[in-house]
Amino acid sequence: MDEIKISAQDVNVFYGETHALQDVNVKIRDNTVTAFIGPSGCGKSTFLRCINRMNDTIEICRVKGDILIDAEDIYDRQVDPVQLRAKVGMVFQKPNPFPKSIYDNVAYGPRIHGLARNKPELDEIVEKSLRRAALWDEAKDRLGQPGTGLSGGQQQRLCIARAVATAPEVLLMDEPCSALDPIATAQIEELIDELRQNYCVVIVTHSMQQAARVSQHTAFFHLGHLVEYGETGQIFTNPQDKRTESYITGRIG
Amino acid sequence: MTDIALGRALRLKTSLLDQSSRTRKRNFAEKRFELYGMAAVAFGLLALVVLLTTILGNGLSSFRQTFVTLQIELPQAKLDKSGTGDLEAIKKVSTFGYAPLIDTALEQTMAQLGITIDGLSAKQAAGIISKEAPAKLRDAVIANPALIGTVHEFRLLANGRIDGYYKGAVTMVSATRDANVSPELLILADALKAAGLLATSLNPGFITDSDASDQRPEAAGLGVAILGSLYMMMIVLVLALPIGVAASIYLEEFAPKNRWTDVIEVNISNLAAVPSIVFGILGLAIFINFAGLPQSAPIVGGLVLTLMTLPTIIIATRASLKSVPPSIRDAALGVGASKMQAVFHHVLPLAAPGILTGTIIGLAQALGETAPLLLIGMVAFVKEFPGAPPEGFFDPASALPVQIFNWTQRADPAFVERASGAIIVLLVFLIAMNTVAVLLRRRFERRW
């Protein structure tokens, strides 16, 4: 049905001497929510950060293997990570809005990438991004107020709006709800489901229920290996691997 | 089984109402520790109070000075022999030409008031006026040649001992043993005071005038020292802030973490601990002997103090860059900002209050530094004001802390008062700078 957006081939990641991720092969579909689950330290966040090359900022980190987005190797020498990150947006575990106004938070990406030629265009991008992040109704009257003054759930939606504003094709989310209360979590999950229509969404989560609720495909990582990858329903009801079964039944992890 | 039984038995015996000896001991230790802390703070405060009272007690009087008001005749025959009003000709008359005018005026005034004091000749009576007075009179005439040929009222500095008499430093008894003053002179001063011609009033000259020689403490001022210090601070600010901030940003945000950067980091910390006099020797060797810059000049002092302040600024800047949460960098990089954009758009604004505070603290430190300046010749007696910047940076000047050091070395006890006064001025500058640092931090601090 949907075409392959991201394709990883024999990805190995090392932190100094530590072999954090071993021979990961995975094909992630477009317009799909793909969840990475697994116990702490299994390498799921590491793999997520490989997809927009955020691992480049960690000095001791080395990545081997190929990751292709739309059949282009993002680790090719000609690829500028800055350009890549505009195409692959990221939302972090802890809401981290800039200590600036809500408007400036969203407008920052479009500004540095030159996506708007004038103020009305920028206003439009900001409004569209905030609408997409389901924050417009709450924020439209207080665009000039600092983004850090919002509640946790609103801050996380602001971060999603900020990521969406650079018109990315892929959205990476690293445990986006782990710092939020259940109500805010439910709002974000609903939002993730809507975002699927326009983006390829990859989400790392600790909560298996969340993975089951929001994703269509699930990848289970364990000790640096990609153990199993398939449709979410199949992973949760009929796991092929013993380790996956142990994890989702709560015996390990 | 036995363990549980034992635990239950113990628990039954204790009551919450009476404290166990362990608890009592612990509480006592806590109280004792609190007392130690309070004692330390009290000791510090006491030391501060003693320091401030001593300095204020000794120094505040230096802002007031005793003046004698005289009607002085400025005869054209003596001051402008050509009669043309030509400024060059007027300048040819030295201070020796003016001194007799003052003596005459004093003599006439005494005669008018009918003051006669046994054992005090007219020449001795002139000792009541400062030796600096003729120079001041000459300056006034040169500034306004129209005064020549008129009788004009002048406020002249009184001799330092007369001034000391009204400030309590000189008494009739001490005057008998003093070569510079006599009891008769003090009686004359009292008589003039009774006639309203001698009074102690505010002395702006202490701030604006230049230093004076050993014999005339009453005329010594801080003008050159303040200007020199100001010039040096300008140089330090212009050089140390950009260099320090640039070095910190590179080391903290861009440099690879390897053995080289480790070595640099350790050495910057070490540099902050190097005794300041070593920087003075460095400045002497490099800036004066090698580069050939002039001695006693603010430019050399500024450069030496820049070297001294750099480590302070770098350490403060790096600390404030470190305190910016990494999530902000992640956020910026995540939306596709380059590393430089992340630093300049997000990290630096958040670190700015810390950087500014560190810079001002570094400047304040540099302002109070004496030792390196001694080695580069800023301790010299400088009477001439330095010119306007930037040429003025190369003119000889003094500096506030060196001026204090200098005055404490002088033999005349009146300089003790001067030195204390100079300390007050220096402290006022330091407090002002620290206040600015605190205000800036309050103003720009942002929460996230």
Side-chain angles (χ1 to χ4, degrees), chain B residues 96-319:
Chain B
F96 293 110
Y98 287 90
L101 303 180
I102 297 174
D103 297 351
T104 318
L106 182 66
E107 218 171 315
Q108 285 172 353
T109 309
M110 283 170 68
Q112 273 172 18
L113 293 171
I115 302 172
T116 46
I117 289 153
D118 292 334
L120 191 72
S121 70
K123 197 170 157 30
Q124 280 168 329
I128 201 171
I129 307 289
S130 164
K131 292 191 179 71
E132 186 74 13
K136 288 256 149 88
L137 186 61
R138 178 170 177 267
D139 289 345
V141 170
I142 288 171
N144 183 13
L147 290 174
I148 294 176
T150 64
V151 177
H152 198 262
E153 190 179 88
F154 286 96
R155 232 160 58 104
L156 303 171
L157 280 168
N159 185 306
R161 292 300 147 86
I162 305 297
D163 183 54
Y165 175 56
Y166 292 109
K167 287 173 181 171
V170 176
T171 60
M172 286 292 177
V173 182
S174 76
T176 53
R177 288 181 264 113
D178 198 328
N180 292 322
V181 76
S182 60
E184 291 79 12
L185 216 52
L186 296 183
I187 294 167
L188 168 64
D190 277 337
L192 284 175
K193 190 172 187 184
L197 295 179
L198 183 146
T200 306
S201 62
L202 214 59
N203 178 25
F206 182 59
I207 301 291
T208 55
D209 283 352
S210 57
D211 195 9
S213 71
D214 256 358
Q215 283 78 42
R216 38 192 100 162
E218 65 276 3
L222 284 169
V224 176
I226 290 175
L227 209 57
S229 278
L230 190 73
Y231 282 7
M232 286 196 293
M233 290 306 106
M234 283 159 77
I235 293 166
V236 172
L237 189 67
V238 166
L239 290 178
L241 183 63
I243 296 176
V245 171
S248 323
I249 290 177
Y250 176 73
L251 284 173
E252 198 58 44
E253 304 284 339
F254 294 96
K257 301 276 173 289
N258 57 25
R259 199 175 304 163
W260 277 111
T261 43
D262 278 353
V263 168
I264 292 174
E265 201 164 321
V266 168
N267 277 302
I268 287 173
S269 308
N270 283 345
L271 222 51
V274 168
S276 54
I277 198 150
V278 177
F279 283 103
I281 296 175
L282 185 81
L284 178 66
I286 293 181
F287 298 129
I288 295 180
N289 289 347
F290 178 72
L293 289 171
Q295 282 183 32
S296 313
I299 181 81
V300 181
L303 286 171
V304 169
L305 293 180
T306 299
L307 292 180
M308 261 196 53
T309 316
L310 261 181
T312 316
I313 291 184
I314 291 178
I315 288 169
T317 306
R318 292 190 67 179

Side-chain angles (χ1 to χ4, degrees), chain B residues 287-366:
Chain B
F287 298 129
I288 295 180
N289 289 347
F290 178 72
L293 289 171
Q295 282 183 32
S296 313
I299 181 81
V300 181
L303 286 171
V304 169
L305 293 180
T306 299
L307 292 180
M308 261 196 53
T309 316
L310 261 181
T312 316
I313 291 184
I314 291 178
I315 288 169
T317 306
R318 292 190 67 179
S320 48
L321 286 175
K322 258 194 201 117
S323 71
V324 176
S327 66
I328 294 293
R329 295 179 182 85
D330 279 349
L333 295 176
V335 294
S338 71
K339 207 159 182 186
M340 206 178 101
Q341 286 173 325
V343 169
F344 281 91
H345 294 167
H346 300 289
V347 179
L348 208 54
L350 288 177
I355 296 173
L356 283 178
T357 313
T359 306
I360 292 174
I361 301 282
L363 275 184
Q365 222 176 50

Side-chain angles (χ1 to χ4, degrees), chain A residues 145-167:
Chain A
Q145 287 173 28
T148 41
L150 296 170
S151 75
Q154 288 172 326
Q155 286 192 16
Q156 196 61 301
R157 276 181 278 152
L158 177 60
C159 292
I160 292 173
R162 183 176 65 189
V164 166
T166 59

Side-chain angles (χ1 to χ4, degrees), chain A residues 49 52 54 57 59 82-83 85-86 88-90 92 94 96-100 108-109 112-113 148 162-163 166, chain B residues 254-258 327-339 341-342 345-346 349-350 446-448:
Chain A
R49 290 169 69 93
N52 70 343
M54 278 301 270
T57 58
E59 221 167 281
V82 168
Q83 231 174 321
R85 286 179 201 138
V88 183
M90 186 156 187
F92 297 85
K94 216 180 126 221
N96 56 353
F98 300 127
K100 302 181 183 223
Y108 182 68
I112 59 172
H113 294 297
T148 41
R162 183 176 65 189
T166 59
Chain B
F254 294 96
K257 301 276 173 289
N258 57 25
S327 66
I328 294 293
R329 295 179 182 85
D330 279 349
L333 295 176
V335 294
S338 71
K339 207 159 182 186
Q341 286 173 325
H345 294 167
H346 300 289
L350 288 177
R446 275 195 278 186
R447 306 245 167 256
W448 58 82

Side-chain angles (χ1 to χ4, degrees), chain A residues 57-226:
Chain A
T57 58
I58 301 165
E59 221 167 281
I60 54 167
C61 181
R62 281 179 302 130
V63 180
K64 282 187 177 163
D66 299 322
I67 295 176
L68 310 180
I69 292 182
D70 292 336
E72 289 175 337
D73 182 7
I74 61 166
Y75 279 90
D76 192 281
R77 207 169 285 171
Q78 290 178 334
V79 172
D80 189 305
V82 168
Q83 231 174 321
L84 169 73
R85 286 179 201 138
K87 202 171 161 177
V88 183
M90 186 156 187
V91 177
F92 297 85
Q93 186 171 355
K94 216 180 126 221
N96 56 353
F98 300 127
K100 302 181 183 223
S101 71
I102 294 173
Y103 184 93
D104 285 337
N105 261 285
V106 183
Y108 182 68
R111 266 192 195 130
I112 59 172
H113 294 297
L115 297 183
R117 269 165 302 175
N118 46 40
K119 176 87 170 122
E121 267 188 39
L122 193 61
D123 288 347
E124 202 188 314
I125 292 176
V126 170
E127 181 178 340
K128 238 170 84 187
S129 307
L130 284 171
R131 277 190 195 283
R132 215 159 248 183
L135 192 61
W136 176 252
D137 291 335
E138 290 152 76
K140 63 174 183 241
D141 299 325
R142 43 194 290 202
L143 289 176
Q145 287 173 28
T148 41
L150 296 170
S151 75
Q154 288 172 326
Q155 286 192 16
Q156 196 61 301
R157 276 181 278 152
L158 177 60
C159 292
I160 292 173
R162 183 176 65 189
V164 166
T166 59
E169 294 164 22
V170 180
L171 263 185
L172 308 177
M173 299 187 171
D174 192 353
E175 299 179 35
C177 302
S178 65
L180 304 180
D181 65 53
I183 294 170
T185 302
Q187 286 174 327
I188 302 273
E189 282 178 4
E190 202 176 306
L191 176 60
I192 290 171
D193 202 52
E194 281 167 28
L195 290 171
R196 178 163 70 97
Q197 295 164 7
N198 298 295
Y199 308 98
C200 165
V201 181
V202 184
I203 173 170
V204 164
T205 177
H206 262 300
S207 154
M208 280 178 281
Q209 290 88 337
Q210 186 172 58
R213 282 194 299 264
V214 299
S215 71
Q216 286 76 52
H217 282 76
T218 298
F220 172 63
F221 286 79
H222 186 58
L223 299 176
H225 293 278
L226 174 63

